[in-house]
Amino acid sequence: MRMTAILSRMNDLPIGVFDSGLGGLTVAGEIMRTLPHESVIYVGDTARCPYGPRPQLEVREFVLQIGAWLAQRHVKMLVVACNTGTAAGLAAAQRTFDIPVIGVVEPGARAAVKSTRNRKVGVIATVGTVQSGAYSDAVRALDAGVTVFSVATPKFVEIVEQGLHMGPGSLEDVFADSSDVFVRPSFYEIARDYLDPLKRTGIDTLVLGCTHFPLLAPAIKQVMGSKVRIISSAEETACDVAATLKTRRTLAPASNVARHRFMTTGDAEEFARLGSRVLTSKISVAHHLDLSELETMEIPPMHGDKAGTDGTEGTTCS
Ligand code: DGL
């Protein structure tokens, strides 16, 4: 087969994107909008969600299992669209797989460093992400003069999950100010408990360090006030995916018709229904991926250190 034919086949391969559940669809959606010719295989590990309270080693194992499953399907790159998964397993995944692997922490940290003027940045995330120190490390690697204030906000994950399971209607309606999701269990009280101490630190930038949180962005913004800029890593991550594919000359050609495939370790019908709301475009069908298939995946041996932490080889988006 001629070299150009092999290369173009490589370029047509999908991108593997995964999360503990539905939240990573906020990142997948941004990738699909930024790169409309790229196909995506998305895995939502709904059956084992939440990852946030689990030990790092367990989450790392999950990341490697899903990465191996996707690598076996010949994805051309992997995106760990979960902050908890990135904090626990990105480095291990980069050492394990021979394709580029990027996470969401470094892009979020970079966006925050670009945004802050007073060099005080807040991060809200799961317990696992906060305890890992991943955001502080990533921000400090970019600008050691920035102070990071991190707060674990696990109840926000529950509120998003609860909101997603609420009746029909658009997500804007579900997460609107007047919605029941904010009355039960009193979102604003919980939010103030979490966010008031952060406000008192004088941060001018707040990173939504969990892929579930962009769905709560308007409400969080309301509590934080108009002077604090809210950062979600989805756009910056999509930008990193584009830069990585471009650098490696593996972007899909404009003639490629993107085909997306959605897998869940939970209920496929429910995933398609709820996922369509997060993605803001219809998921006509999702497929069930049995946990036993992931748990018996053979994980390739890890190899030596790779430069950088995000696999992007230093590429940045303006
Ligand atoms: N989506 C996960 C993250 O970005 C949070 C949800 C979970 O705890 O699994 O950290």
Side-chain angles (χ1 to χ4, degrees), residues 2-72:
R2 287 180 46 212
M3 198 50 152
T4 45
I6 295 171
L7 280 177
S8 93
R9 267 187 56 192
M10 167 83 182
N11 293 12
D12 293 349
L13 293 175
I15 300 167
V17 182
F18 63 98
D19 177 43
S20 60
L22 292 156
L25 288 170
T26 56
V27 179
E30 210 51 58
I31 294 171
M32 290 168 189
R33 276 185 285 278
T34 307
L35 298 163
H37 303 293
E38 300 292 340
S39 299
V40 167
I41 305 182
Y42 182 90
V43 177
D45 194 3
T46 331
R48 299 187 291 196
C49 185
Y51 282 5
R54 294 178 185 270
Q56 298 261 310
L57 272 180
E58 187 181 24
V59 176
R60 189 182 92 154
E61 191 56 29
F62 294 170
V63 167
L64 294 178
Q65 288 171 358
I66 301 171
W69 189 89
L70 283 164
Q72 209 175 59

Side-chain angles (χ1 to χ4, degrees), residues 13-281:
L13 293 175
I15 300 167
V17 182
F18 63 98
D19 177 43
S20 60
L22 292 156
L25 288 170
T26 56
V27 179
E30 210 51 58
I31 294 171
M32 290 168 189
R33 276 185 285 278
T34 307
L35 298 163
H37 303 293
E38 300 292 340
S39 299
V40 167
I41 305 182
Y42 182 90
V43 177
D45 194 3
T46 331
R48 299 187 291 196
C49 185
Y51 282 5
R54 294 178 185 270
Q56 298 261 310
L57 272 180
E58 187 181 24
V59 176
R60 189 182 92 154
E61 191 56 29
F62 294 170
V63 167
L64 294 178
Q65 288 171 358
I66 301 171
W69 189 89
L70 283 164
Q72 209 175 59
R73 264 120 208 111
H74 305 292
V75 295
K76 60 183 171 185
M77 79 177 289
L78 285 170
V79 181
V80 187
C82 173
N83 291 268
T84 317
T86 300
L90 178 67
Q94 288 174 338
R95 290 193 189 106
T96 302
F97 304 109
D98 288 326
I99 46 177
V101 188
I102 74 166
V104 283
V105 170
E106 209 268 348
R110 192 181 329 121
V113 169
K114 276 185 203 166
S115 150
T116 185
R117 296 288 165 264
N118 68 5
R119 295 165 106 195
K120 287 183 185 174
V121 168
V123 177
I124 52 172
T126 63
V127 172
T129 303
V130 169
Q131 281 180 353
S132 73
Y135 268 101
S136 315
D137 293 348
V139 167
R140 245 179 260 127
L142 294 163
D143 182 347
V146 174
T147 308
V148 180
F149 302 89
S150 305
V151 175
T153 56
K155 285 187 187 153
F156 283 178
V157 177
E158 286 168 32
I159 291 167
V160 170
E161 290 288 326
Q162 186 191 329
L164 287 174
H165 284 85
M166 284 170 78
S170 75
L171 275 189
E172 281 77 25
D173 289 344
V174 169
F175 292 108
D177 242 11
S178 52
S179 157
D180 279 359
V181 77
F182 293 138
V183 180
R184 305 184 307 243
S186 181
F187 172 80
Y188 285 102
E189 251 169 62
I190 295 168
R192 271 191 291 271
D193 276 354
Y194 282 146
L195 302 177
D196 277 353
L198 264 184
K199 272 169 85 174
R200 285 196 289 274
T201 62
I203 57 165
D204 68 356
T205 301
L206 177 66
V207 181
L208 306 180
C210 171
T211 50
H212 276 63
F213 297 171
L215 300 175
L216 292 174
I220 291 171
K221 210 175 197 139
Q222 191 173 320
V223 176
M224 291 307 292
S226 57
K227 292 203 181 87
V228 177
R229 230 175 123 199
I230 308 290
I231 302 284
S232 140
S233 51
E235 277 170 38
E236 197 80 12
T237 303
C239 188
D240 274 11
V241 172
T244 303
L245 293 178
K246 198 167 167 207
T247 308
R248 291 176 174 256
R249 297 178 201 278
T250 48
L251 276 169
S255 57
N256 198 49
V257 179
R259 274 183 222 96
H260 307 309
R261 192 171 162 82
F262 298 90
M263 310 296 302
T264 173
T265 52
D267 183 84
E269 188 279 324
E270 182 181 75
F271 186 91
R273 186 165 43 82
L274 303 181
S276 300
R277 305 169 84 187
V278 181
L279 197 64
T280 60
S281 77

Side-chain angles (χ1 to χ4, degrees), residues 288-310:
H288 178 72
L289 168 57
D290 213 78
L291 270 188
S292 61
E293 211 178 311
L294 291 179
E295 284 160 359
T296 52
M297 276 312 302
E298 214 168 289
I299 313 290
M302 285 190 204
H303 37 84
D305 277 355
K306 279 186 178 172
T309 54
D310 67 350

